[in-house]
Amino acid sequence: MLIVITGPSGSGKSTLANRVLEELENVEFSVSHTTRQKRDTEIEGKDYHFVSEDEFKRMIQDEKLVEWAVVHGHYYGTAKKELARGTEEGDILLDIDVQGAGQIREKHKKAVFVFILPPLFPELRKRLEKRGQDSESAIQKRLGVARAEIQAYREFDYVVINDELTKAVEELKSVILSQRCRREIREKEIMPILRSFAERD
Ligand code: ADP
Ligand code: 5GP
């Protein structure tokens, strides 16, 4: 199952993704490619694959990406091979923007889309400032984009409001766990149970 989380910069997508990866089994993170500068706290290959613009454009030409977009002036994209990492039972978690989510929706009808909202706009500003990883102008750019992209929540199946972190983590985990209980997803597990009922003691 593909789980797509989207939301304004600073809404807490990375924080929530990391917690879910720690706390739930069988979830893999889709490591995106980006041309933006690595932050001090980030690890190449874990948070992102950091590449040059030339490399990124080559990936587009070679059709290596399942989706890509220009976000806050930088290229971001998901390599097809990231999605192939999902096993039969395993889920893949994608942290991508609204444009990328739209492209995944076109190609993967069964993916689950979760929008992450911050509690209020001033709190989003505070969190971006406190994160201290973006320049003042980058923060302004991100806040400007946030005002527009927030409207896209209507296109999503679920909304998690990241006010109190523990509650938001529980909500995101609940979405994933409830999706895993869907009958069509469970069919493989159900079959041996049904067969056992058909056997004589
Ligand atoms: P995103 O990945 O959506 O850009 P981050 O996960 O980097 O957002 O979160 C932005 C900042 O807000 C980080 O410094 C993070 O520690 C902080 N943060 C995330 N969730 C909460 C929360 N529920 N309460 C307070 N701070 C939070
Ligand atoms: P950041 O620079 O804060 O890590 O991410 C900026 C924005 O880019 C976020 O909205 C994030 O979800 C988005 N993003 C990260 N990876 C991808 C990707 O592979 N594709 C797309 N379309 N957006 C991405």
PDB file of all heavy atoms in Angstrom, residues 12 31 37 40 46 57 68 81 101 123 140 157 177 179 188:
ATOM      1  N   GLY A  12       4.890  19.283   9.900  1.00  0.00           N
ATOM      2  CA  GLY A  12       5.329  18.160  10.738  1.00  0.00           C
ATOM      3  C   GLY A  12       5.394  16.826  10.010  1.00  0.00           C
ATOM      4  O   GLY A  12       5.467  15.773  10.639  1.00  0.00           O
ATOM      5  N   VAL A  31      12.550   7.466  -0.151  1.00  0.00           N
ATOM      6  CA  VAL A  31      13.570   8.526  -0.092  1.00  0.00           C
ATOM      7  C   VAL A  31      13.574   9.271  -1.427  1.00  0.00           C
ATOM      8  O   VAL A  31      13.928   8.711  -2.461  1.00  0.00           O
ATOM      9  CB  VAL A  31      14.963   7.938   0.238  1.00  0.00           C
ATOM     10  CG1 VAL A  31      16.005   9.052   0.349  1.00  0.00           C
ATOM     11  CG2 VAL A  31      14.923   7.105   1.521  1.00  0.00           C
ATOM     12  N   GLN A  37      19.692  22.180  -1.022  1.00  0.00           N
ATOM     13  CA  GLN A  37      20.859  21.968  -0.151  1.00  0.00           C
ATOM     14  C   GLN A  37      20.473  21.063   1.012  1.00  0.00           C
ATOM     15  O   GLN A  37      19.367  21.182   1.554  1.00  0.00           O
ATOM     16  CB  GLN A  37      21.290  23.312   0.446  1.00  0.00           C
ATOM     17  CG  GLN A  37      22.020  24.215  -0.517  1.00  0.00           C
ATOM     18  CD  GLN A  37      23.487  23.852  -0.585  1.00  0.00           C
ATOM     19  OE1 GLN A  37      24.137  23.782   0.450  1.00  0.00           O
ATOM     20  NE2 GLN A  37      23.994  23.612  -1.777  1.00  0.00           N
ATOM     21  N   ASP A  40      21.720  20.585   8.019  1.00  0.00           N
ATOM     22  CA  ASP A  40      22.718  19.977   8.927  1.00  0.00           C
ATOM     23  C   ASP A  40      22.201  18.680   9.544  1.00  0.00           C
ATOM     24  O   ASP A  40      22.967  17.765   9.818  1.00  0.00           O
ATOM     25  CB  ASP A  40      23.057  20.942  10.072  1.00  0.00           C
ATOM     26  CG  ASP A  40      23.709  22.200   9.537  1.00  0.00           C
ATOM     27  OD1 ASP A  40      24.184  22.160   8.384  1.00  0.00           O
ATOM     28  OD2 ASP A  40      23.729  23.220  10.271  1.00  0.00           O
ATOM     29  N   LYS A  46      19.088   8.808   3.552  1.00  0.00           N
ATOM     30  CA  LYS A  46      18.055   8.475   4.545  1.00  0.00           C
ATOM     31  C   LYS A  46      16.898   9.467   4.418  1.00  0.00           C
ATOM     32  O   LYS A  46      15.745   9.089   4.286  1.00  0.00           O
ATOM     33  CB  LYS A  46      18.645   8.517   5.959  1.00  0.00           C
ATOM     34  CG  LYS A  46      17.610   8.258   7.041  1.00  0.00           C
ATOM     35  CD  LYS A  46      18.228   8.282   8.443  1.00  0.00           C
ATOM     36  CE  LYS A  46      17.161   8.166   9.518  1.00  0.00           C
ATOM     37  NZ  LYS A  46      16.432   9.424   9.745  1.00  0.00           N
ATOM     38  N   LYS A  57      17.601  16.423 -13.917  1.00  0.00           N
ATOM     39  CA  LYS A  57      17.013  16.545 -15.265  1.00  0.00           C
ATOM     40  C   LYS A  57      17.252  15.279 -16.085  1.00  0.00           C
ATOM     41  O   LYS A  57      16.413  14.878 -16.883  1.00  0.00           O
ATOM     42  CB  LYS A  57      17.566  17.778 -15.970  1.00  0.00           C
ATOM     43  CG  LYS A  57      16.963  19.063 -15.411  1.00  0.00           C
ATOM     44  CD  LYS A  57      17.528  20.281 -16.083  1.00  0.00           C
ATOM     45  CE  LYS A  57      16.913  21.550 -15.511  1.00  0.00           C
ATOM     46  NZ  LYS A  57      17.700  22.752 -15.842  1.00  0.00           N
ATOM     47  N   TRP A  68       7.364  14.154 -10.085  1.00  0.00           N
ATOM     48  CA  TRP A  68       8.325  15.179  -9.684  1.00  0.00           C
ATOM     49  C   TRP A  68       7.663  16.544  -9.754  1.00  0.00           C
ATOM     50  O   TRP A  68       6.635  16.721 -10.407  1.00  0.00           O
ATOM     51  CB  TRP A  68       9.595  15.136 -10.538  1.00  0.00           C
ATOM     52  CG  TRP A  68       9.399  15.475 -11.982  1.00  0.00           C
ATOM     53  CD1 TRP A  68       9.043  14.611 -12.975  1.00  0.00           C
ATOM     54  CD2 TRP A  68       9.513  16.771 -12.598  1.00  0.00           C
ATOM     55  NE1 TRP A  68       8.927  15.265 -14.169  1.00  0.00           N
ATOM     56  CE2 TRP A  68       9.216  16.604 -13.975  1.00  0.00           C
ATOM     57  CE3 TRP A  68       9.854  18.041 -12.132  1.00  0.00           C
ATOM     58  CZ2 TRP A  68       9.247  17.666 -14.876  1.00  0.00           C
ATOM     59  CZ3 TRP A  68       9.875  19.106 -13.039  1.00  0.00           C
ATOM     60  CH2 TRP A  68       9.577  18.903 -14.392  1.00  0.00           C
ATOM     61  N   LYS A  81      12.088   3.336  -8.553  1.00  0.00           N
ATOM     62  CA  LYS A  81      12.628   2.212  -7.782  1.00  0.00           C
ATOM     63  C   LYS A  81      12.323   2.317  -6.278  1.00  0.00           C
ATOM     64  O   LYS A  81      12.327   1.308  -5.583  1.00  0.00           O
ATOM     65  CB  LYS A  81      14.119   1.998  -8.054  1.00  0.00           C
ATOM     66  CG  LYS A  81      15.087   2.988  -7.465  1.00  0.00           C
ATOM     67  CD  LYS A  81      16.479   2.433  -7.745  1.00  0.00           C
ATOM     68  CE  LYS A  81      17.658   3.119  -7.144  1.00  0.00           C
ATOM     69  NZ  LYS A  81      17.712   4.478  -6.777  1.00  0.00           N
ATOM     70  N   ALA A 101       1.470  14.609  -5.190  1.00  0.00           N
ATOM     71  CA  ALA A 101       0.351  13.765  -4.740  1.00  0.00           C
ATOM     72  C   ALA A 101      -0.659  13.595  -5.882  1.00  0.00           C
ATOM     73  O   ALA A 101      -1.187  12.508  -6.100  1.00  0.00           O
ATOM     74  CB  ALA A 101      -0.315  14.392  -3.505  1.00  0.00           C
ATOM     75  N   GLU A 123       1.312  29.359  14.368  1.00  0.00           N
ATOM     76  CA  GLU A 123       2.081  28.250  14.936  1.00  0.00           C
ATOM     77  C   GLU A 123       3.013  27.650  13.875  1.00  0.00           C
ATOM     78  O   GLU A 123       4.139  27.263  14.170  1.00  0.00           O
ATOM     79  CB  GLU A 123       1.114  27.198  15.500  1.00  0.00           C
ATOM     80  CG  GLU A 123       1.757  25.931  16.052  1.00  0.00           C
ATOM     81  CD  GLU A 123       2.656  26.136  17.270  1.00  0.00           C
ATOM     82  OE1 GLU A 123       2.522  27.172  17.959  1.00  0.00           O
ATOM     83  OE2 GLU A 123       3.509  25.251  17.522  1.00  0.00           O
ATOM     84  N   GLN A 140       9.751  32.785   4.462  1.00  0.00           N
ATOM     85  CA  GLN A 140       8.681  33.609   3.864  1.00  0.00           C
ATOM     86  C   GLN A 140       8.099  32.913   2.632  1.00  0.00           C
ATOM     87  O   GLN A 140       6.888  32.882   2.439  1.00  0.00           O
ATOM     88  CB  GLN A 140       9.212  34.996   3.475  1.00  0.00           C
ATOM     89  CG  GLN A 140       9.474  35.927   4.657  1.00  0.00           C
ATOM     90  CD  GLN A 140       8.300  35.995   5.653  1.00  0.00           C
ATOM     91  OE1 GLN A 140       7.147  35.902   5.269  1.00  0.00           O
ATOM     92  NE2 GLN A 140       8.611  36.142   6.936  1.00  0.00           N
ATOM     93  N   ASP A 157      -7.913  11.960   1.413  1.00  0.00           N
ATOM     94  CA  ASP A 157      -8.848  11.037   2.079  1.00  0.00           C
ATOM     95  C   ASP A 157      -8.925  11.314   3.575  1.00  0.00           C
ATOM     96  O   ASP A 157      -9.968  11.163   4.196  1.00  0.00           O
ATOM     97  CB  ASP A 157      -8.364   9.586   1.904  1.00  0.00           C
ATOM     98  CG  ASP A 157      -8.197   9.210   0.443  1.00  0.00           C
ATOM     99  OD1 ASP A 157      -9.128   9.483  -0.323  1.00  0.00           O
ATOM    100  OD2 ASP A 157      -7.143   8.656   0.080  1.00  0.00           O
ATOM    101  N   LEU A 177      -3.185   1.668  10.017  1.00  0.00           N
ATOM    102  CA  LEU A 177      -3.680   0.394  10.543  1.00  0.00           C
ATOM    103  C   LEU A 177      -5.082   0.088  10.031  1.00  0.00           C
ATOM    104  O   LEU A 177      -5.383  -1.056   9.700  1.00  0.00           O
ATOM    105  CB  LEU A 177      -3.647   0.403  12.082  1.00  0.00           C
ATOM    106  CG  LEU A 177      -2.230   0.409  12.684  1.00  0.00           C
ATOM    107  CD1 LEU A 177      -2.293   0.550  14.201  1.00  0.00           C
ATOM    108  CD2 LEU A 177      -1.463  -0.857  12.304  1.00  0.00           C
ATOM    109  N   GLN A 179      -6.366   1.059   7.205  1.00  0.00           N
ATOM    110  CA  GLN A 179      -6.247   0.677   5.788  1.00  0.00           C
ATOM    111  C   GLN A 179      -5.815  -0.777   5.661  1.00  0.00           C
ATOM    112  O   GLN A 179      -6.245  -1.492   4.768  1.00  0.00           O
ATOM    113  CB  GLN A 179      -5.239   1.577   5.063  1.00  0.00           C
ATOM    114  CG  GLN A 179      -5.720   2.992   4.853  1.00  0.00           C
ATOM    115  CD  GLN A 179      -6.991   3.068   4.040  1.00  0.00           C
ATOM    116  OE1 GLN A 179      -7.127   2.436   3.010  1.00  0.00           O
ATOM    117  NE2 GLN A 179      -7.957   3.823   4.533  1.00  0.00           N
ATOM    118  N   LYS A 188      -5.316 -12.227   1.391  1.00  0.00           N
ATOM    119  CA  LYS A 188      -4.280 -13.282   1.487  1.00  0.00           C
ATOM    120  C   LYS A 188      -4.252 -13.918   2.869  1.00  0.00           C
ATOM    121  O   LYS A 188      -4.010 -15.105   3.017  1.00  0.00           O
ATOM    122  CB  LYS A 188      -2.914 -12.670   1.186  1.00  0.00           C
ATOM    123  CG  LYS A 188      -2.488 -12.861  -0.227  1.00  0.00           C
ATOM    124  CD  LYS A 188      -0.980 -13.044  -0.286  1.00  0.00           C
ATOM    125  CE  LYS A 188      -0.547 -13.470  -1.657  1.00  0.00           C
ATOM    126  NZ  LYS A 188       0.388 -12.499  -2.237  1.00  0.00           N
TER     127      LYS A 188
END
